[in-house]
Amino acid sequence: MSALTTTVLKALGVFGGVQGLNILAGIVRSKCAALWLGPAGVGVMSLFVQSLMTMSYLTQLSLRQSSVRDLSLLKGEPDGEKARRMSFTARRLGLWLGIAGMGLTFLGAPLLSRWTFGNGDYTRAFMILSAVPLMTSLTAPDNAIMQSFGHLRRLATANVWGSVAGTAALVCCICFWGMGGIVGAVLAIPAGAWIMARLYSRGIPGPPAVAPTWRESLSEGKGMLMLGAMLTVSDVVTQVASYVFSIYLSRRGSVADVGIYQSGFTMVNYYVGVIFTAISMEYYPRLTAQVSQRKRTSVLVSHEISVALWVLMPVAVLFVCFDELMVRLLYSQAFLSMLPFISLAIGGVVFRAVSWCIAFVMLAKGDGRAYVATEVVSAAVMLVLYTSGWELFRFKGLGTAYIVWYGVYAAAVYGVFRWRYGMRFGRGIRGLILFAAVVCIGASVLRPLVGPIATGCLILPWLIPLSLRRLGLTRGR
């Protein structure tokens, strides 16, 4: 096993375990919401979250991504004055942006209620929930600081306890107040994340000898803000596209359909996306430190794609085999109509993994224009494919649209990687991508034809040993 693979797998081990605990917390949240609120209640909660995340993206200026880039360049001197000043500046910017987000959400509450639910009945709820953009913005720089300076175990612990605390509060809210507790439930998760991030990031890297003035903070944080502003355009476009589709789905279908779709989307993106999140914690700072070297960057990206795909393939097949059981455990029988979506959509995670590895190159280079362009294309393609898929084949159409969407997006970011940056994949990567796509999409197609057990028996006995050998975890013959 190479040293690079060892580093990646260690990060995956740390954050994979953390995400596993987060998944358990998510299971508790999803199950309680499904049982006590039903599909309609989950739909209402999803619409709240979608609209608040849109406001957070709009006002946060992607501070997490942009500050990781700047702070990672100072990783060699984590206790230096420059690192302390930059960390102080990132936290101060988070406070400013959070206050702006809270104010904008509070003042726009009547409009948000009408846009989201078609009436003004939820204006007061949106006013209370204006605290969400503030807490989200305060959490971002603390997490970025721990990630950038290599305090991954602290970051992992903060994530776990934040999730546990938020889940406990959420369960209490919907258990005691039902639909009336949705507002408190929506507040619970960002509140838990913020409190724990603040506690565990204390003392990293320590206060500066002389605190910069507000004007100096603005000047020193100009790079973060400029890149963040461009990233925000892409984040807002993506979030707005998702928000628009949720509203469209609630009109063309029902609020219950929104809840079922969002639950399925969460299963595919969050539970399988654990792999992406875990690897990115170590990958992004390391990529930033050497992105100026074209050949080394190409090797690193190719290696990351290889590791991600070999880890992902068995997980995706297992997901296909146990999708119905997972829906029953995570939600309830009322959510089984999501099965056509998740069974097909899992085939698209291969393209998602490839595009995810490449897109980080744009962030590491600070190439906001290219990132915005690809994200706008992605959002437009998603809306067209999703609306067409729903009109034609309902949830099965959404699953097919998911595969095509990420296939188009992967092609778009590879175009930037190849032609704008002059980089190439390493030997065998294209073949591996094709192989992974055949395996995952093949499992999605086989599942309804031969059943989940037969699908697993046909694929897993040879795929798992092959993946372990390719990752260097076992010796080949």
Side-chain angles (χ1 to χ4, degrees):
M1 187 190 306
S2 69
L4 188 55
T5 302
T6 301
T7 301
V8 174
L9 291 180
K10 281 183 178 178
L12 180 59
V14 171
F15 278 92
V18 169
Q19 295 291 60
L21 293 173
N22 285 340
I23 285 175
L24 290 177
I27 289 173
V28 173
R29 293 196 298 267
S30 300
K31 190 69 175 180
C32 291
L35 291 176
W36 293 330
L37 301 179
V42 172
V44 170
M45 186 181 294
S46 296
L47 289 170
F48 269 130
V49 172
Q50 286 283 332
S51 55
L52 290 166
M53 290 306 295
T54 299
M55 297 303 295
S56 295
Y57 284 134
L58 180 64
T59 58
Q60 194 181 126
L61 295 184
S62 297
L63 188 62
R64 171 73 183 268
Q65 294 94 323
S66 61
S67 57
V68 165
R69 179 181 179 274
D70 284 11
L71 291 166
S72 294
L73 297 175
L74 304 173
K75 188 176 179 179
E77 47 170 329
D79 297 320
E81 180 64 13
K82 191 172 182 180
R84 290 196 289 265
R85 286 178 66 90
M86 187 63 74
S87 300
F88 184 89
T89 294
R91 287 182 169 122
R92 177 174 277 177
L93 292 177
L95 175 61
W96 293 346
L97 295 172
I99 292 173
M102 181 174 65
L104 187 61
T105 304
F106 186 88
L107 295 174
L111 288 176
L112 286 171
S113 178
R114 292 192 177 278
W115 289 343
T116 306
F117 296 100
N119 55 59
D121 296 347
Y122 295 89
T123 298
R124 184 179 178 184
F126 274 111
M127 288 180 174
I128 297 171
L129 291 172
S130 64
V132 170
L134 173 62
M135 291 185 290
T136 303
S137 190
L138 290 173
T139 304
D142 285 337
N143 284 340
I145 288 166
M146 287 187 282
Q147 180 182 355
S148 301
F149 294 135
H151 293 275
L152 298 184
R153 291 193 180 276
R154 279 203 189 191
L155 177 58
T157 306
N159 286 345
V160 167
W161 286 114
S163 180
V164 170
T167 298
L170 179 147
V171 170
C172 290
C173 287
I174 60 177
C175 174
F176 290 110
W177 297 294
M179 292 289 286
I182 286 180
V183 171
V186 173
L187 281 170
I189 301 302
W194 166 51
I195 293 170
M196 294 303 165
R198 185 82 283 272
L199 287 175
Y200 280 92
S201 66
R202 291 180 66 181
I204 304 175
V210 179
T213 65
W214 284 33
R215 182 172 295 181
E216 288 172 338
S217 290
L218 191 59
S219 176
E220 293 174 7
K222 185 178 179 180
M224 292 184 202
L225 293 175
M226 289 181 66
L227 175 60
M230 299 195 74
L231 298 183
T232 296
V233 174
S234 65
D235 285 344
V236 169
V237 167
T238 301
Q239 192 64 28
V240 167
S242 179
Y243 181 40
V244 168
F245 178 70
S246 294
I247 294 175
Y248 158 85
L249 189 56
S250 69
R251 303 287 194 272
R252 296 291 293 178
S254 65
V255 173
D257 287 329
V258 176
I260 292 169
Y261 161 71
Q262 288 294 344
S263 300
F265 191 83
T266 297
M267 285 185 67
V268 174
N269 279 267
Y270 180 66
Y271 298 124
V272 178
V274 162
I275 297 170
F276 306 148
T277 303
I279 296 177
S280 70
M281 292 298 168
E282 187 272 337
Y283 173 56
Y284 182 24
R286 180 158 47 87
L287 182 65
T288 298
Q290 62 184 43
V291 76
S292 59
Q293 302 175 60
R294 183 185 302 176
K295 191 170 183 179
R296 292 189 65 181
T297 300
S298 297
V299 170
L300 180 56
V301 172
S302 298
H303 180 270
E304 209 72 20
I305 290 173
S306 177
V307 172
L309 292 182
W310 283 118
V311 172
L312 176 68
M313 281 187 280
V315 173
V317 175
L318 284 168
F319 188 98
V320 170
C321 295
F322 295 101
D323 54 0
E324 183 174 347
L325 178 62
M326 290 173 65
V327 171
R328 291 182 183 275
L329 288 175
L330 296 173
Y331 299 99
S332 68
Q333 189 171 349
F335 288 78
L336 288 177
S337 54
M338 75 167 73
L339 285 176
F341 168 69
I342 62 175
S343 296
L344 284 169
I346 198 68
V349 298
V350 169
F351 303 119
R352 183 173 172 230
V354 174
S355 61
W356 169 88
C357 291
I358 299 173
F360 270 113
V361 178
M362 292 181 258
L363 294 179
K365 280 184 168 291
D367 191 355
R369 292 182 180 179
Y371 190 79
V372 168
T374 55
E375 292 298 309
V376 169
V377 169
S378 172
V381 169
M382 183 273 281
L383 266 180
V384 172
L385 291 174
Y386 266 29
T387 52
S388 301
W390 177 259
E391 292 295 335
L392 292 173
F393 304 110
R394 314 296 277 184
F395 285 108
K396 186 178 291 186
L398 294 183
T400 305
Y402 186 96
I403 297 174
V404 179
W405 168 30
Y406 272 108
V408 172
Y409 180 57
V413 295
Y414 178 74
V416 174
F417 181 76
R418 176 69 184 89
W419 303 110
R420 186 175 177 88
Y421 304 145
M423 299 179 187
R424 296 176 180 270
F425 284 155
R427 185 179 178 182
I429 294 299
R430 289 186 181 87
L432 175 59
I433 293 170
L434 178 60
F435 173 74
V438 170
V439 169
C440 293
I441 296 175
S444 298
V445 173
L446 273 177
R447 195 250 187 243
L449 296 177
V450 302
I453 296 176
T455 299
C457 291
L458 286 170
I459 298 176
L460 292 173
W462 59 266
L463 179 61
I464 291 177
L466 178 61
S467 296
L468 292 175
R469 285 199 302 272
R470 294 294 185 178
L471 291 169
L473 298 176
T474 60
R475 294 182 179 180
R477 293 180 179 177

